[in-house]
Amino acid sequence: KPFAALLGALSAQLGLGIGSIGGKDSMSGSFEELDVPPTLISFVVATGDAKYVVSGTLQQAGSKVWLLAPKAEGGFPARESTISCLDTLETLHKGGNIRSAAVPGRFGAAERIFKMCLGNSLGFAFAENVAEEALFSLVPGGVLLETDGETEVCGAVCLGMVTKEPVFSFRGEKVALSELETLFE
């Protein structure tokens, strides 16, 4: 298992043209009554100019939120599609077109958009044509991008628009952000 995990990590690094600078493995072990599943974690650190850092909190009413996600192969992000998404992300970022960005969590894009709204008490109107599956599914390699109302994100799905009123709306249903925040807390 350790050798297979390392080969998999090396294959991913070579395929994406990136490197790991550190990691931790836990290939077997137990602590009291807890069994540790085989795990390999690696990480990379990068530096950059602070002027390019964007928040994970939605910034402005009228913005669009896009889901940029690579195509999947066998349940994993496909290499070429992942590289294409990263190139798109870098181009938008360098062009100053991203107001905020966040990675969808295990409960999908809808959960992350809710959390992105909390910081500035903004709302969100989900696009009528967005499939519920796109909102609540795990999205490996995906990223949510807030752009101005004019910027189009090639290859991404527009999930909807940020609203000034702190309300979530989807297909005629509305829920106040405060009500969701209370349930969340």
Side-chain angles (χ1 to χ4, degrees), residues 9-10 16 19 40 46 58 61 94-95 105 108 123 131 151 157 160:
L10 178 61
L16 294 173
L40 177 69
L58 294 175
K94 284 184 175 177
T151 300
V157 175

Side-chain angles (χ1 to χ4, degrees), residues 62-134:
S63 296
K64 289 183 180 177
V65 174
W66 302 82
L67 175 60
L68 179 64
K71 292 179 175 76
E73 281 180 5
F76 296 98
R79 183 178 68 85
E80 290 300 324
S81 183
T82 299
I83 292 170
S84 176
C85 286
L86 292 172
D87 288 343
T88 298
L89 178 61
E90 182 178 27
T91 299
L92 289 167
H93 191 245
K94 284 184 175 177
N97 295 314
I98 299 174
R99 290 182 173 165
S100 70
V103 175
R106 65 181 177 155
F107 298 114
E111 174 206 16
R112 181 59 67 203
I113 290 171
F114 158 69
K115 290 177 179 176
M116 292 173 80
C117 286
L118 290 175
N120 289 323
S121 296
L122 293 168
F124 195 79
F126 289 94
E128 295 294 321
N129 62 340
V130 174
E132 287 184 43
E133 183 179 321

Side-chain angles (χ1 to χ4, degrees), residues 9-179:
L10 178 61
S11 175
Q13 290 175 62
L14 291 172
L16 294 173
I18 57 175
S20 166
I21 63 165
K24 170 70 178 118
D25 71 90
S26 179
M27 295 302 153
S28 66
S30 298
F31 177 74
E32 295 179 2
E33 294 183 24
L34 297 174
D35 290 320
V36 178
T39 306
L40 177 69
I41 300 168
S42 65
F43 53 88
V44 175
V45 175
T47 60
D49 192 323
K51 72 180 178 182
Y52 293 113
V53 174
V54 298
S55 174
T57 301
L58 294 175
Q59 298 298 303
Q60 186 173 339
S63 296
K64 289 183 180 177
V65 174
W66 302 82
L67 175 60
L68 179 64
K71 292 179 175 76
E73 281 180 5
F76 296 98
R79 183 178 68 85
E80 290 300 324
S81 183
T82 299
I83 292 170
S84 176
C85 286
L86 292 172
D87 288 343
T88 298
L89 178 61
E90 182 178 27
T91 299
L92 289 167
H93 191 245
K94 284 184 175 177
N97 295 314
I98 299 174
R99 290 182 173 165
S100 70
V103 175
R106 65 181 177 155
F107 298 114
E111 174 206 16
R112 181 59 67 203
I113 290 171
F114 158 69
K115 290 177 179 176
M116 292 173 80
C117 286
L118 290 175
N120 289 323
S121 296
L122 293 168
F124 195 79
F126 289 94
E128 295 294 321
N129 62 340
V130 174
E132 287 184 43
E133 183 179 321
L135 298 176
F136 297 101
S137 297
L138 190 61
V139 188
V143 62
L144 295 168
L145 305 173
E146 176 190 6
T147 66
D148 62 39
E150 303 300 317
T151 300
E152 297 289 322
V153 180
C154 184
V157 175
C158 182
L159 297 180
M161 188 167 283
V162 181
T163 62
K164 184 175 176 87
E165 182 183 14
V167 169
F168 282 82
S169 62
F170 183 62
R171 297 185 182 157
E173 305 239 358
K174 293 185 177 191
V175 180
L177 177 66
S178 60
E179 184 179 335

